[in-house]
Amino acid sequence: FPASTMTQQSALRYCQWLSDKTGYFYRLPTEAEWEYACRAGTQTAFSWGDKPKQAGEYAWFYDNSAGSYQKVGTKKPNAWGLYDMHGNVAEWTLDFYVADYFQSLDSVLVNPIIFPNKKHSRTVRGGSFEDFTPQLRCADRRKSDPKWQARDPQIPKSKWWNPDSPFVGFRIDREKNTPSKDERDAFFEKVIRD
């Protein structure tokens, strides 16, 4: 089953721990990387094409999920063998959320990212079991919301837990070329904001 209800900071701290433990560099994907992986070489609305009626073959969403996330890998993968890129749980990306994302990138074409300068809001991609078919599109974006921590009884609110977002999880990337520990630490220092 997908991991869910954790904050982006929690997902990033997991990546940092895993990187330290293994010596490799694990992190959340950028928005651009996530969409590239979701599209799997296509230019269509969904990785399977432009026909929303095929969603049930590839995704868990409002119409077929019974209101909950489902076991991963039980629907068809995209052309690159990646499961659950559409639906089940939406996934954290590294990018800070800005409404005019594509215009904000200027002309950066290689590894574009919008680094965070404060805690909220971050970008979530992929749609979830709560969403309708249009929110499953490869290009659909969602802004994180502080309300996802509303029922957290702790004061101050936890850095690790979003009790009101069972529809958000994460997927990790492993860099092919592993940077030094100092470079990895500097990266996590830059992307994790309390």
Side-chain angles (χ1 to χ4, degrees), residues 12 14-27 172-185 187-188:
L12 285 167
Y14 172 78
C15 291
Q16 186 176 31
W17 170 84
L18 188 61
S19 297
D20 288 344
K21 192 81 169 159
T22 64
Y24 294 108
F25 181 37
Y26 292 94
R27 61 174 176 77
I172 60 175
D173 286 354
R174 186 181 114 182
E175 291 275 339
K176 183 177 179 182
N177 300 316
T178 304
S180 70
K181 179 162 178 16
D182 288 343
E183 290 170 320
R184 291 192 317 260
D185 289 345
F187 170 82
F188 286 112

Side-chain angles (χ1 to χ4, degrees), residues 34-154:
W34 189 96
E35 187 169 329
Y36 180 78
C38 182
R39 287 188 180 283
T42 69
Q43 293 299 314
T44 52
F46 308 97
S47 65
W48 63 82
D50 286 319
K51 296 179 181 173
K53 291 193 185 278
Q54 290 181 275
E57 298 176 43
Y58 293 86
W60 291 109
F61 60 110
Y62 182 83
D63 292 348
N64 66 359
S65 69
S68 182
Y69 55 78
Q70 303 294 318
K71 188 174 182 181
V72 299
T74 55
K75 295 291 184 177
K76 290 181 180 178
N78 69 14
W80 291 349
L82 299 173
Y83 291 88
D84 298 307
M85 294 300 293
H86 304 278
N88 211 5
V89 295
E91 299 173 354
W92 288 113
T93 67
L94 279 174
D95 292 76
F96 189 75
Y97 182 88
V98 292
D100 59 345
Y101 171 72
F102 294 102
Q103 293 78 14
S104 298
L105 293 175
D106 297 320
S107 62
V108 177
L109 298 176
V110 178
N111 297 329
I113 183 172
I114 297 176
F115 284 101
N117 56 15
K118 57 186 176 180
K119 184 176 178 179
H120 288 289
S121 289
R122 304 303 176 89
T123 305
V124 178
R125 300 292 295 262
S128 77
F129 64 85
E130 291 186 346
D131 292 318
F132 294 99
T133 311
Q135 288 80 41
L136 304 179
R137 291 178 306 107
C138 296
D140 197 68
R141 309 168 67 235
R142 178 182 290 179
K143 177 173 136 176
S144 68
D145 190 329
K147 292 179 185 175
W148 294 353
Q149 289 185 302
R151 287 187 296 163
D152 181 357
Q154 302 176 79

